[in-house]
Amino acid sequence: AYFLFHLPDLTPLMDTWVYLNLSFNNLLFFPTKVFNIKILPVLVLRNNPIREIPNDIHILKSMKKFTVFFNLLSHLPSGLFLLEDLWYLDIACNDTGFIPNGIKNLRRLEHLDIEGKQLSALLFGGLNLPLKYLRIENNFIYPLVWNEKIQNQPQKLTHLAALCFSRNNLEERYTDITEDIKKILDDFTVCDRCSGPRYGKGLCLIGLYRSVFRFGGLPFYFHACSSPRQRCF
C-alpha cells in the first residue's frame, strides 16, 4: 500500500526472502524482478491493476502460496500450472472467464479461491485436484447460462468417420490405407469422458457432479468425442 509503480532494488535480500507482499499498489505489470528470488515461497499481489501473468512464473519453483486477488487478469498462463509445490492459489475477482485444464497438474493444491469471476462451469481436469477448500461464489454458475455455453456446431463427417473407424478397430480389416486418410486417423486428442480418441473439437458438454469438494453440486465442462447416445458416456 505504497502506490508503487515499480519495485525498488531487491538485490540485498534475494537469498533470504520468504514472504513478499506487494498488495494495494499501482503495479501495471507483473514485477518480473521477483523471478530473481528463486527460493520465494509466498507472493501476494492483491489489489493491483495487473493484466497479465508472464508464462515464466514457473521459474519460481519454490512457490507454495500465490495470491493475485482483485487484479485485471483476463487469462492464466500455462507456466502457472508447472509450480509443483503450490498448495494455495487465490485468483478471485479477476476478468478470467475460465480456468485452464492445466490446473489438474497442481497435484498439491489444497486451497483454491475463484470467487467473483465469469465462470459458468469448471473444467474437467479440476476433478483430480486434492482440494480441501474451494471458494466459488459470485460466478455465472446457473443452468440458464449453461444452455448458451454448450451451443455446439455439427461435427465434421470426416471426424465422425474417423471416430467410427477407430472405435470399431477397422484398421485390422483395412490394411491398405492411403497416407491422407492415415494422417486424419492419427490427428486426435483424448476425450474427457471416455478417454478414447477425439477428432476435431468434439462436443462441449456440462456435467453436474454432486458432493465434490464438499459442495452439493458443481458443473464441469467436458470436451467429448461424441454425444451420450453415441457411446461416449
Side-chain angles (χ1 to χ4, degrees):
Y2 281 92
F3 304 102
L4 297 176
F5 286 91
H6 305 283
L7 291 193
D9 183 17
L10 304 178
T11 306
L13 295 170
M14 285 297 182
D15 297 328
T16 57
W17 221 309
V18 295
Y19 187 100
L20 180 57
N21 189 343
L22 298 170
S23 300
F24 297 95
N25 281 293
N26 289 323
L27 298 174
L28 298 174
F29 302 97
F30 186 93
T32 54
K33 285 183 180 179
V34 302
F35 290 157
N36 296 320
I37 316 174
K38 294 187 171 51
I39 62 168
L40 184 66
V42 180
L43 177 59
V44 182
L45 290 168
R46 178 174 177 168
N47 289 75
N48 278 282
I50 297 173
R51 295 182 178 275
E52 184 177 7
I53 299 173
N55 199 47
D56 289 341
I57 194 170
H58 64 83
I59 294 174
L60 299 174
K61 297 183 182 297
S62 299
M63 188 137 72
K64 296 178 172 60
K65 183 175 180 179
F66 182 45
T67 297
V68 65
F69 170 86
F70 222 122
N71 277 249
L72 300 174
L73 302 177
S74 60
H75 68 282
L76 300 174
S78 58
L80 179 62
F81 307 122
L82 298 177
L83 299 173
E84 297 180 354
D85 292 332
L86 194 68
W87 72 270
Y88 184 108
L89 180 60
D90 185 348
I91 49 178
C93 298
N94 279 280
D95 294 334
T96 48
F98 72 101
I99 305 299
N101 223 23
I103 197 172
K104 65 183 178 182
N105 298 322
L106 300 179
R107 296 297 186 180
R108 298 186 180 181
L109 191 66
E110 296 182 1
H111 180 114
L112 178 61
D113 191 336
I114 50 178
E115 182 193 8
K117 303 170 85 64
Q118 301 177 34
L119 301 176
S120 52
L122 302 175
L123 285 184
F124 168 72
L127 283 169
N128 298 320
L129 295 174
L131 293 181
K132 295 180 180 179
Y133 175 91
L134 173 64
R135 190 172 184 180
I136 198 171
E137 291 83 0
N138 300 314
N139 276 282
F140 294 155
I141 297 178
Y142 193 78
L144 291 179
V145 179
W146 304 342
N147 292 333
E148 295 183 5
K149 292 293 184 179
I150 55 174
Q151 295 293 324
N152 293 294
Q153 296 295 323
Q155 292 176 278
K156 291 185 178 180
L157 290 178
T158 52
H159 295 154
L160 291 174
L163 180 63
C164 179
F165 195 95
S166 176
R167 278 182 174 171
N168 293 284
N169 298 318
L170 295 182
E171 66 274 8
E172 297 177 0
R173 293 181 53 188
Y174 300 97
T175 56
D176 188 18
I177 302 175
T178 61
E179 285 299 319
D180 57 336
I181 298 298
K182 189 175 186 304
K183 184 177 180 180
I184 294 174
L185 293 173
D186 291 340
D187 184 18
F188 63 86
T189 53
V190 177
C191 174
D192 289 342
R193 292 307 299 256
C194 68
S195 299
R198 187 183 83 225
Y199 292 93
K201 294 181 179 180
L203 297 176
C204 180
L205 306 169
I206 291 182
L208 190 64
Y209 275 67
R210 301 191 182 281
S211 300
V212 60
F213 305 139
R214 300 178 183 178
F215 276 79
L218 282 178
F220 287 84
Y221 278 118
F222 294 88
H223 290 94
C225 59
S226 58
S227 65
R229 65 185 64 181
Q230 291 174 295
R231 292 171 30 197
C232 176
F233 289 70

